[in-house]
Amino acid sequence: MDINAFHSISITRVCGTIDALLQVQPHPDAAEPLEEVLREAGAKFAGEPCSRVLIYNPDAIGSVLESAAPDVFRKLRADTELQLPMLSVTPPVTPVCFASMYTGVRPAVHGIQSYRKPVLKVPTVFDDLAAAGRKAAIVSTAGDSIARIFLRRRADYFILPTVRAVNEKTRELIAEDAYDLIVVYNGNYDYWMHRSSPTGPPALRALRKNLETFEALQAQVRQHWRGHNAVIAFAPDHGCHRVYGFFGNHGEDEPWDMNIYHYWTFLPGSGRTVS
């Protein structure tokens, strides 16, 4: 891996990918879906439709971390079937990135171009699903970007005080099996990265906790979504870098802040697809 080279697949393509997986008409201007994901889903599901998608959004986990925590990324690659080298948007800060990921358009189009958290006024994947009669849940910690910029949609919001509560609620929602799309945000790595550097012990503990959470959610999906063809993704928003020797930050148009990987898993159902 050349850490000085930019990845080339924009995170704006996640929105259209979710729409395509769930057979939903995308809104105008949304970037084209990820053909790699759709091709893999078609093969895994023998041409049958996907009816459940879960996107796990851990914050600030960049591809440069692979050398700092190789065990984590080896495990992620072993536990997922498709790994895509994704490119964030500029500036690579959380509200800008998640706005781009779930609107499918660049910051100049969706309007969030700095670290601000206004409610988006352009269409999102959540609007696409609602127009098609599909249900989406957003699960996030209070005050964070995903909890704020996607408000005023026909989606169900579970805004909770801690990462632990967010993950417990997500497991409950999977077990209830009432949503076509669940988007869940964890900001614990980002929190500790800023305070202890990207590779400080607290940050690396949070990184490993993110992987444990993703594994637990996959297990929950396997147990409770057996009647569905389901897709799960580990999809961070941007990377990070060290500043002043012992802190972490992000926001630069450089590979260490822009390059990330998205990891996808495809779980065929029992042969009975539930819509």
Side-chain angles (χ1 to χ4, degrees), residues 209-230:
K209 185 63 178 177
N210 286 154
L211 177 58
E212 292 172 8
T213 297
F214 184 63
E215 291 174 333
L217 296 180
Q218 285 193 91
Q220 194 82 347
V221 166
R222 292 179 190 275
Q223 178 181 356
H224 293 288
W225 288 358
R226 293 177 181 173
H228 303 278
N229 292 324

Side-chain angles (χ1 to χ4, degrees), residues 47-63:
E48 293 296 316
C50 169
S51 55
R52 292 289 184 270
V53 174
L54 186 146
I55 309 292
Y56 176 63
N57 292 133
D59 200 324
I61 297 176
S63 60

Side-chain angles (χ1 to χ4, degrees), residues 9-265:
I9 307 174
S10 174
I11 61 171
T12 59
R13 297 176 65 184
V14 171
C15 174
T17 302
I18 296 170
D19 282 337
L21 286 168
L22 292 172
Q23 307 88 54
V24 166
Q25 179 68 35
H27 55 271
D29 300 326
E32 63 185 28
L34 295 162
E35 288 300 328
E36 300 92 335
V37 173
L38 302 185
R39 185 165 54 247
E40 188 74 12
K44 293 291 183 181
F45 304 152
E48 293 296 316
C50 169
S51 55
R52 292 289 184 270
V53 174
L54 186 146
I55 309 292
Y56 176 63
N57 292 133
D59 200 324
I61 297 176
S63 60
V64 295
L65 289 171
E66 292 211 14
S67 60
D71 59 315
V72 172
F73 293 93
R74 278 197 299 268
K75 190 74 167 62
L76 260 178
R77 289 178 181 275
D79 288 349
T80 55
E81 295 156 302
L82 181 65
Q83 301 87 35
L84 294 178
M86 307 296 292
L87 184 69
S88 193
V89 292
T90 54
V93 294
T94 304
V96 178
C97 297
F98 283 128
S100 296
M101 193 180 297
Y102 291 116
T103 64
V105 298
R106 308 289 298 179
V109 178
H110 62 62
I112 302 180
Q113 300 185 72
S114 63
Y115 195 88
R116 300 183 305 112
K117 302 176 186 178
V119 176
L120 285 160
K121 297 180 180 180
V122 300
T124 69
V125 69
F126 309 109
D127 300 296
D128 297 341
L129 264 67
R134 312 298 287 269
K135 293 186 66 177
I138 297 172
V139 198
S140 176
T141 35
D144 286 315
S145 298
I146 282 182
R148 296 175 64 177
I149 66 176
F150 299 114
L151 291 173
R152 303 175 194 166
R153 264 76 197 175
R154 284 186 289 157
D156 288 347
Y157 301 92
F158 301 90
I159 310 304
L160 300 159
T162 65
V163 169
R164 180 176 179 178
V166 162
N167 295 336
E168 289 176 351
K169 174 54 70 174
T170 302
R171 289 192 288 270
E172 291 175 10
L173 296 179
I174 294 169
E176 291 171 9
D177 190 18
Y179 293 95
D180 304 285
L181 170 66
I182 299 175
V183 168
V184 53
Y185 170 78
N186 279 185
N188 48 327
Y189 174 78
D190 181 76
Y191 177 90
W192 287 111
M193 173 275 299
H194 281 292
R195 290 157 178 82
S196 72
S197 87
T199 57
L204 292 182
R205 282 195 294 271
L207 174 62
R208 292 185 171 91
K209 185 63 178 177
N210 286 154
L211 177 58
E212 292 172 8
T213 297
F214 184 63
E215 291 174 333
L217 296 180
Q218 285 193 91
Q220 194 82 347
V221 166
R222 292 179 190 275
Q223 178 181 356
H224 293 288
W225 288 358
R226 293 177 181 173
H228 303 278
N229 292 324
V231 174
I232 314 170
F234 183 103
D237 51 345
H238 56 70
C240 58
H241 63 277
R242 185 186 297 267
V243 293
Y244 305 123
F246 50 86
F247 293 119
N249 205 356
H250 52 86
E252 297 182 356
D253 187 9
E254 297 289 351
W256 42 83
D257 285 0
M258 296 289 289
N259 286 348
I260 52 180
Y261 275 93
H262 284 185
Y263 303 81
W264 297 80
T265 297

